[in-house]
Amino acid sequence: MNAPFLIRAFGFILPGFIAVSACARSDEPAAGDSASAPAGDTGMAGMDHSQMPGMNRSPAKDADHEFLRMMTDHHESMIVMMNAAMERATSATAKADARKVHDKQRQERDSMVAIMKMAYNDTITPMVMPSAMAMNDSLQQKTGAAYDRDMYRHGIMHHQEAVKMIDGFLPRLTRPNVRQMAEKMRADQQREIQEFQRKQTG
């Protein structure tokens, strides 16, 4: 994801995100056609992907499809943030945690993209949400130990959003593989929230 694409998609670019883009790896997805799932009861603080600039996907075919789209975009936001943190975090522990989260979220993102292609013939380019761009911009203003603390703090906030999203979708998911994936994500991210809380205050 590069700066020109963000300008085309959102009509603006946050200054701090330029630094993130500069650190982005070549294995991150290139920008392409993008879109949004219809709004659902996801528990994401009123976030409505259908109203976000640059997102004009056709309506999701069912709750599983909508969940996969929204969670893929949510993962993309964490991937971008942790991609920068792998370089900018101060302590070896924070750097290792950033890489761990980055790699896990990337693997899950790619799995969800593959499921959408196979089950729905839907090929999307994951997008970073404007609210996540703002969160990341705030993080990139920090340095040293403050950066590490805020990396954990933003990681906690991001995971809490994901847990709320999963809770909102779980009663409506019907595909066993999607439901199993959602339940595992929920358990894994709750464990990471507790781990990050200890490290943030440690």
Side-chain angles (χ1 to χ4, degrees):
M1 182 173 295
N2 55 36
F5 168 68
L6 289 169
I7 294 171
R8 293 197 307 271
F10 298 111
F12 68 94
I13 180 168
L14 294 173
F17 195 78
I18 297 174
V20 181
S21 299
C23 297
R25 300 185 167 191
S26 60
D27 57 18
E28 296 305 321
D33 291 337
S34 55
S36 95
D41 181 15
T42 65
M44 291 196 65
M47 185 177 292
D48 181 354
H49 285 208
S50 66
Q51 301 301 315
M52 290 180 178
M55 301 189 73
N56 52 4
R57 297 169 188 159
S58 59
K61 296 178 181 178
D62 56 28
D64 297 82
H65 190 192
E66 182 181 2
F67 169 78
L68 290 168
R69 281 180 170 179
M70 295 185 73
M71 187 59 79
T72 296
D73 291 334
H74 198 257
H75 271 47
E76 185 70 9
S77 302
M78 180 67 95
I79 290 166
V80 168
M81 182 162 62
M82 292 300 155
N83 193 54
M86 286 190 291
E87 303 297 331
R88 298 202 58 206
T90 301
S91 72
T93 298
K95 286 180 181 289
D97 286 337
R99 178 172 293 280
K100 177 182 174 182
V101 173
H102 172 278
D103 292 351
K104 182 176 180 59
Q105 295 255 319
R106 183 184 169 206
Q107 180 182 24
E108 291 175 348
R109 177 203 66 189
D110 292 348
S111 295
M112 290 186 287
V113 168
I115 291 173
M116 282 187 282
K117 176 62 177 176
M118 180 177 297
Y120 300 101
N121 195 29
D122 184 14
T123 303
I124 69 167
T125 298
M127 295 185 68
V128 178
M129 299 296 95
S131 60
M133 290 173 61
M135 181 186 296
N136 189 55
D137 182 67
S138 172
L139 175 60
Q140 302 316 313
Q141 306 307 310
K142 303 297 176 64
T143 58
Y147 184 98
D148 293 1
R149 286 193 300 270
D150 263 25
M151 183 198 81
Y152 287 120
R153 183 170 68 87
H154 289 318
I156 290 167
M157 292 167 59
H158 197 272
H159 278 1
Q160 287 172 336
E161 278 188 347
V163 169
K164 287 181 180 180
M165 183 195 299
I166 293 168
D167 287 344
F169 272 104
L170 270 176
R172 301 190 286 135
L173 299 179
T174 59
R175 290 180 178 270
N177 60 332
V178 176
R179 185 176 185 86
Q180 182 179 12
M181 176 183 287
E183 289 173 342
K184 186 177 187 305
M185 282 181 187
R186 188 182 191 282
D188 289 349
Q189 295 199 25
Q190 283 185 316
R191 282 195 297 269
E192 286 183 348
I193 287 171
Q194 294 174 351
E195 178 183 346
F196 288 179
Q197 286 172 335
R198 290 193 298 270
K199 292 180 177 179
Q200 182 189 12
T201 58

